[in-house]
Amino acid sequence: MSGTLQVTQKQHQQLEKQQQQQQKQHYESSYYLSTKSSVSKQSLTTYKTSSQRVKTSVKTKKGREEVKLSPLPKRAKRTYLAMDKDKEIIGYVIPVFRADHDVVRRLMEAQEEEVTEEGINYVAMRNLFVREARESVDVKVEKKSRTTHIRESAERLELGRTMDEWAEFRKKMNPDSLTHPPEFISKPRGQTVWEGKSVKLYCTVAGWPKPRVAWYKNNVLIDVKAHPEKYSVESNYNVHSLEIKNCDFFDTAQYHISALNVKGEASFMATVVVKRFQEGEEAGPLDPKPHAFSPEYGVTFETTIIDKFEVAFGREGETLSLGCRVIIYPTVKKYQPEVVWYRNYVPLKPSKWVHTHWSGERATLTLVHLNKEDEGLYTLRVNTKSGFETHSAYVYVRDADVEVEGAPVAPLDVHCHDANKDYVVVTWKQPAVEGSSPILGYYIDKCEVGTHHWAQCNESPVKFARFPVTGLVEGRSYIFRVRALNKEGVSHPSRVSEPVIAMDPSDRARLRAGPSAPWTGMIRFTEEDSTVGEIPGEPTDVVVTEATKSYVVLAWKPPIQRGHEGVMYYIEKCISGTDTWHRVNTGMPVKSPRYALFDLAEGKSYSFRVRCCNSAGVGESSVSTGEITVGDKLDLPSAPGNPVVTRNTATSVVVSWGASKDVKHLVGYYIECSVVGTDVWMPCNNKPVKQTRFVCHGLITGLNYVFKVKAVNAAGYSQSSPNSEPLVVKAAVSVPAKPTGVTLLEAVKDYMVLGWSEPANNGGADIRGYFVDYRTVKGNVVGKWRELNLKALTTTTYKAENLKENVFYEFQVRAVNMAGVSNASVPSAPLECKEWTITVPGGPVGLHVLEVRDTSVVVLWEPPVFDGRTPVNGYYLDVKEASAGEEGWKAVHEKVNKSKYMKVTGLKAGTAYVFQVRAQNLAGVGKPSAILGPILAQTRPGTKDIYVDVDDDGVMSMVFECSEMKADSEFVWSKNYQEITDTSRLTIVKERGKSRAIFNNLSLEDLGTFSCMVTNTDGISSSYTLTEEGIKRLLDISHDHKFPVIPFKNEMALELLEKGRVRFWTQVEKCTSACQVDYVFNDVIITQGKKYTMNFDKSTGIIEMFMDSLEVTDEGTFTFNLVDGKAKGTTSLVLIGDEFRELQKKSEFARAEWVRKQGPHFVEYLDFAVTPACDVLLKCKIGNVRPETEITWSKDSIEIGEDDEDAKKIERKDIALTFNIGKICKKDAGIYEVFLKDDRGHDKSTFNMTDAGYQAVMNELFRVIANSSSEIKVRSTEHGIILYSTVTHYNEDLRVGWLQKDNKIAASERVKSGVTEDQLWLKINEPTEKDKGKYSMDIFDGKGSVKRVFELTGQAWEEAFQEFQRLKAAAIAERNRARVVGGLPDVVAIQEGKSLNLTGNVWGEPVPEVSWTKNEKPLVSDERYKLKFEQGKFASITIATVTTTDSGKYALLVKNKYGTEAGEFTVSVYNPEEEEAKEEKKD
């Protein structure tokens, strides 16, 4: 193919040389690439030859007349542009007509034999080849010049060298070999460009069918339609290009192109580096750059970020939001900037953990369910057509509270690597806090995506922060989490990892992939057709990729000889010093070319090798790895160097340290701090940092801290560094920021008056002065900077003298504080030194704000340096929203303001504003001041206002509190915004964190606005305006404090007592022993007597008045009047109308209850209870009973007599009455009543135990039964496995359900559930592997259910199943054991000479063996003893004529494989004569 490409490119170059058009077009020439059917006019230029060819008529060999073109001129070669019927260019073709006629003919014949269907592009190209071939056959050239002949001969020789490639191409047209995967003919090259330039990446991709391509940036698909202004993609004739326009720093990335067709996928990567040209220090990736003019919109966008988020602290599990307000000026309709958030300089993508929002004015980032992975430096970048602005702050994430005191916190950054069919490697980072004891190891949990079941992957904890998880199911997706363990307990689980699919990457080579994203959104996989009968070869390159104390990971390359069937692998190991190889995975071969080996002895050496297998057999073993010693290859990092701590802010410090030496695979460093004098160490960061410098925030100002650092890698933690030197936390002092706004205030012939604004940041110390520099300007030539003042200025204005008239000068200003001199301000515009002729005043200077709130702000300024021709007599203040245009300026007031301050109200909370002030004299209004702002109208969190306090002695003061004071901060009080120096009216007292201004003698002279500002803070201030009404109110309060009123803790209240008595009472906060009380009813003083009882306890301040009952005449107002020296107090209670009548009824009812309780009565009315034994008791408590008090029980209005059966259920203990129903059933339902009666009165209590009452009792019974259930136990029988739980009692109405794996179990012949007495059981007959799993029993408890769970898996299943099999085998053995089942007597007495015939019934499966014994000696069948065994059931013995010698102990022995048994009997043979003789002797 390369030769063909060279010929085509050479012809194309010759064609371009003879054309007058100088445009260059790059096309790919390839005879086997599929191309587009048409090309746009923008992609190709149609070339026209300037030479003219003459038509001639010639006769062909076949006699037909054809129109023939004359030969081309020498320099005019034929254009090899392929045209379709519509004369559209469709590509380049190779000039076949110059080949040998025989070769061309063979190509034509091969083409005619093909009947397959190709793509339309390929068919068009093939037809063009044939058309050219036919033209070369039919046309006969009669005359050729020598030059033409030589040229054609040279071209034929050149084509001859490429004919073999042509033949290969024609072979590919065979349908079996036409398609082939994508292939990069030319690959994209990495490029380096300057910022602002464009760059274009090119590549050429071959393949059939035509591959589809997609471009990616850092593995993220590039959406050209979404960003047409940034990217442009072209694909012409298999030449693909990506153009990146107007490159900026963040276009630096890895770009790769992916090509895909049905045969496979190919990709290639190129790196683009964007450089930024800048003199001096190079800017960082997020440093703002100057705003430039945007020709697209015709404006220069200026971006300002206000309301900035600060350093934030969150806790795991919480939600945290960061936000900034963004102002873009000017406002262009329908234009929105690009808002991008970064964490540690990496762009953030929206996910379930990260939410971003842009409202058009405010950018917000929300971190949902914080984890330590979210800790880092967050940056907001706002991109516009003119540049970008950024703001950054750190976010710290503290650990969630541990469940067990002293347990470790959760690990972090769980990731999956090297995913295969069989296993995946899980890595994580150790937490910052180990707890009260060192971490012993980690547990790894896995969960299949789509489920909620977490399974622990390792039985024993692993110390290494890297673990291979095995036992995955191929094709399924998993997520993982990690938990840390120490002596105290287990941590919370970490954040879950990203899902990973269990699939071997090597399978991709054997899978066909359909079109994938972005154009179809799916991938189809189809296995290759299998090839059988080929034993795979041996694997190669077997190496140990990981080795720790816990495991070893092997990896190897698949064999070359394996066919299309695929292979699996067996792993073998050999202990050092032996020649014996043991197979590791005996149960199942692995599919992946990687394997993790566990259970190896630490310190021992092993060798490993691998064998391949498939359906044809097991192949030869690989080459051994050599001896590998089991142990950690990664050492712990060494301790970091000594930390050095420097001050930063009032709540933060900067910690720097020396990096750990000789450390491998460093994860990062953890920094810890401790307050001097304590031994409590706290983490400063919960996510390890790799740099050796860290800013620790969240410290307490004024405390003395020490710091230490420890390094961490996958092996664990290093030793901590030595402690740093102690450091007290307080703000560091730095040089101030640059002054701003250098302007000309007044100009005369030989001097100029300059003004400027203070620096926005004073560096933590007061500004001590300013230095002014100047230089001359002549055209474009500027002179050197020279100092104007050698002594620092204390004001923001300066009179530059001894200047030359009509000369232009530039000025710059530098501020100075105790830390040093700031950078110079931006130079002023060139200013001409000539006398002003204007009469109006100049612009006011020194604009600043105080008391910034949501809806208001106080603007202050100083008079202009140049008053004009007459003194300034007033000012005008203008305001506008920062985002508005120049037409948005509005006057704050209409009338002239003679003060040098003004409070602006009516602002919108959260909106930014800018301000300007104009001065006025008799000649008119002058030019505005420099613009102040933007100022965000928002109250700072924790801001407090001045409040007025009057103490107990009537002393009046104003108080202002500040919680953000620094060591050198001071309170400055002002009146009408002029600092108070006269102490005759106010006495200033500074207390801790607050200042108090005490009025010496408050009067109308103190009218005005008092304000207080805290120096060396971010403008913390407040004001309080004293009006005439306010002064009067304060004087009244002071008077009340001087002449106090007796305070009441409670106003008069009313309480009902026993017998219906009424208590009126109140309580004073304090009183003296001289305090007196007058009790008044309806303006009449009442005294103690029969109706009223009074009491005043001066120690507690409680005043009481009692009345035995309320009568109609008692309706009215009750009052207590108190007098205690000069203090007085009054409290009243009005009882009239409905309120009085309601109280009277309650009093009468209370008295009636008291009367009822004078006789026998119920203290607690009849109710029920269920005992732990599930007996139902009806119970009540009685009071005030005597021995003669009658107590009667009844059911359904029928009295229960002493002789009734239910009378035995009644019991009384002291004041408690019980009726023990026992085990309840439906017949016990009814209405139960108890009556009390004696001569003092009677009482009754009823309990309705029907319907709802009966159901309530049953629900309580169900609750007791359910909670009495034991944990599920397992028992095996000969029939199967029984799961059971015992309860105290069972009721037939109790609902019990069994579930397996959370699915309800349906009753069947094999699986049954039921109840036996107090045992709830589930019988599983003939259990199988399918019966393994989690079983649960739900018992209804009246409201919900009580669940008992049993895991019938693992050891529990193995033990139960083995016991079942043992019992089943024993039952079978017992059932089929050989035994004598009957027919034989115990004793046989027979007369001598008689015949004896005994038959025994025998049973056994298989049929037992039968034998007989006499006196434990075996008998053999002979003439005397006839032994028979018939039908396998009947064994008989026959003795024809017995004698006394036949007496003895006989036994029938039966035996089979299940056992042996003997049926014993005794035979006694007697002689009648001898017996008679014996009897006679006895007589």
Side-chain angles (χ1 to χ4, degrees), residues 170 191 213 432 468 671 724 895 1219 1379:
R170 302 309 299 171
Q191 299 187 44
V213 301
I671 302 93
S724 69
K895 296 182 179 180
F1219 185 94
R1379 57 184 180 272

Side-chain angles (χ1 to χ4, degrees), residues 3-20:
T4 305
L5 288 171
Q6 292 171 3
V7 172
T8 305
Q9 292 170 355
K10 179 180 179 182
Q11 293 170 346
H12 183 51
Q13 291 170 2
Q14 292 174 354
L15 178 63
E16 286 182 316
K17 289 180 180 179
Q18 59 181 300
Q19 306 300 324
Q20 295 179 358

Side-chain angles (χ1 to χ4, degrees), residues 1115-1146:
E1115 184 174 3
T1117 302
F1118 294 85
T1119 304
F1120 294 163
N1121 289 331
L1122 286 78
V1123 178
D1124 190 2
K1126 63 178 182 180
K1128 297 180 180 180
T1130 300
T1131 180
S1132 299
L1133 181 65
V1134 179
L1135 287 177
I1136 58 176
D1138 294 338
E1139 186 178 356
F1140 173 77
R1141 288 186 286 272
E1142 183 68 22
L1143 179 63
Q1144 191 178 23
K1145 289 180 182 179
K1146 290 181 179 180

Side-chain angles (χ1 to χ4, degrees), residues 399-410 433-437 483-493:
D399 291 297
D401 294 334
V402 294
E403 295 180 352
V404 179
E405 183 72 23
V409 298
V433 179
E434 295 186 82
S436 59
S437 61
R483 295 170 292 139
L485 169 74
N486 67 3
K487 292 182 180 179
E488 305 301 329
V490 182
S491 72
H492 291 293

Side-chain angles (χ1 to χ4, degrees), residues 1092-1196:
Y1092 302 103
T1093 303
M1094 290 84 164
N1095 181 45
F1096 182 15
D1097 188 346
K1098 297 179 181 179
S1099 62
T1100 60
I1102 296 177
I1103 305 171
E1104 300 173 299
M1105 183 178 73
F1106 299 92
M1107 297 176 64
D1108 290 338
S1109 63
L1110 288 177
E1111 300 176 358
V1112 177
T1113 56
D1114 293 326
E1115 184 174 3
T1117 302
F1118 294 85
T1119 304
F1120 294 163
N1121 289 331
L1122 286 78
V1123 178
D1124 190 2
K1126 63 178 182 180
K1128 297 180 180 180
T1130 300
T1131 180
S1132 299
L1133 181 65
V1134 179
L1135 287 177
I1136 58 176
D1138 294 338
E1139 186 178 356
F1140 173 77
R1141 288 186 286 272
E1142 183 68 22
L1143 179 63
Q1144 191 178 23
K1145 289 180 182 179
K1146 290 181 179 180
S1147 175
E1148 292 173 354
F1149 175 78
R1151 183 169 182 80
E1153 276 292 290
W1154 179 81
V1155 171
R1156 181 181 72 85
K1157 293 179 180 180
Q1158 300 310 303
H1161 64 277
F1162 288 93
V1163 177
E1164 293 181 5
Y1165 287 99
L1166 195 61
D1167 201 353
F1168 75 92
V1170 180
T1171 68
C1174 298
D1175 292 332
V1176 177
L1177 298 179
L1178 298 181
K1179 60 179 183 178
C1180 62
K1181 289 185 179 180
I1182 57 179
N1184 199 13
V1185 294
R1186 294 177 178 177
E1188 62 270 17
T1189 302
E1190 297 180 5
I1191 303 175
T1192 306
W1193 288 79
S1194 68
K1195 177 185 178 184
D1196 296 331

